Structures are given as structure tokens and as C-alpha cells.
Amino acid sequence: MTDLRFPIGKFTDSPISPAQRQQLIDQIAELPRHFRAAVNGLTPQQIETPYRPEGWTVRQLVHHVPESHMNAYIRCKLALTETKPTIKPYMEDRWANLADVPVTPLETSLALLELVHARWITMLRLVREEEWARTFIHPENGERRLDQTLAQYAWHGRHHTAHVTALRERMGW
């Protein structure tokens, strides 16, 4: 039985070559299209279905991904413009339960994801070789390199897309 929390496996850090970086950038560029396709055609009842027992609903996932990726975009910008800035983590579980989540149309967050990724991809494609080693400090996870962040968020997008597609498959949607 696959762990429903990690349908594509857990994220692991490993050295990243320039060719791998380009693949990861491409994955981030493609995420809005793949994520939109994953939720396309779901009924209101299906959107309110958790992707696993005690997990977030599809609605919460759709709002979470652009929120998370906005934070990642800003963290990348900070790493590129400051020396080892300390970033502010956020409580994503609390964000997923704020009052705006159940009333905000999914389209709002899907469009936001597209727009954030359009800016992020432009920036990532212009990062110079030496800049990939720039870092920020995460108070809970320590020092993070820009290339590690790229890999983590390419994984993150695939991870949450797989939550939706695996749910659809299990439920026969």
C-alpha cells in the first residue's frame, strides 16, 4: 500500500547538476497546467473531499499550492538580494483553515498559481550559475541553498498534484 501522504515519495536533498536544474525549472513551469488539469471537472462535493483520511480537502490543496509557492518565490528573491536572510516560516495548516478558504473560488487560486509561476520562472531562468549557491536561513530547517529550494518546490508541485490525481483514481472520478 502506498503512503497516501507521499504519493511520489518524500522529498530528498541531493546534489543538482545544471541539466537537472533546467528540468526542475521546466517542472515548475508546467505545474499550473498539470495542477489545473488534476482538478478540472470535479464536482463541488468532490472538491470538499480530503485526499486522505485526516488530510486536507482538494479545495484546501488548491489554495495551499499558490500560497506556498508565493512564499518560495519571495524566499528565492530574498536569497538573491540579501546575504543569508532569515525568512519567516508560516503555519500552512492554519492558513488552510482560515475563513477565506471555503468561500474563495478555486479559479482565483489557480490563476494566482499561473501568475506567480510566470514571474518565478522568468526569474529562475535568469539566475546565474554562481547564484544557485546563494542561501537563506529557515528558522526550523536551517540554511537552504537556492538550488535546493528549486528542487523542493518542483517536488512540492508534483506531490500535491499527485494527491489529487491519486484521489481521483482511488474514487473512480
Side-chain angles (χ1 to χ4, degrees), residues 23-156:
Q23 292 173 344
L24 294 168
I25 291 170
D26 290 344
Q27 289 173 17
I28 289 176
E30 295 165 2
L31 174 66
R33 180 173 54 84
H34 292 301
F35 198 59
R36 182 180 286 279
V39 301
N40 187 43
L42 291 176
T43 68
Q45 181 180 4
Q46 291 167 335
I47 289 166
E48 303 306 333
T49 303
Y51 74 90
R52 68 175 173 88
E54 299 181 28
W56 285 350
T57 66
V58 172
R59 175 182 299 282
Q60 289 172 307
L61 289 173
V62 170
H63 296 311
H64 162 73
V65 172
E67 291 172 345
S68 176
H69 290 207
M70 283 189 300
N71 275 285
Y73 169 68
I74 291 167
R75 290 169 181 178
C76 290
K77 289 274 220 184
L78 289 169
L80 288 167
T81 60
E82 300 177 21
T83 302
K84 295 187 181 184
T86 298
I87 59 95
K88 182 166 184 351
Y90 70 103
M91 296 180 174
E92 52 192 45
D93 58 328
R94 292 184 185 177
W95 284 35
N97 288 303
L98 286 172
D100 65 316
V101 172
V103 298
T104 301
L106 296 188
E107 181 55 35
T108 301
S109 286
L110 293 170
L112 180 58
L113 184 65
E114 290 169 352
L115 295 170
V116 167
H117 276 235
R119 283 295 309 273
W120 196 11
I121 290 305
T122 299
M123 180 195 67
L124 290 171
R125 289 190 172 136
L126 296 170
V127 171
R128 295 184 309 266
E129 185 62 34
E130 67 276 8
E131 291 175 317
W132 287 108
R134 294 191 61 90
T135 62
F136 61 82
I137 307 298
H138 190 292
E140 298 162 359
N141 301 324
E143 191 168 351
R144 302 292 299 161
R145 287 172 48 115
L146 190 58
D147 58 359
Q148 291 173 307
T149 302
L150 170 68
Q152 181 178 2
Y153 282 90
W155 171 87
H156 185 259

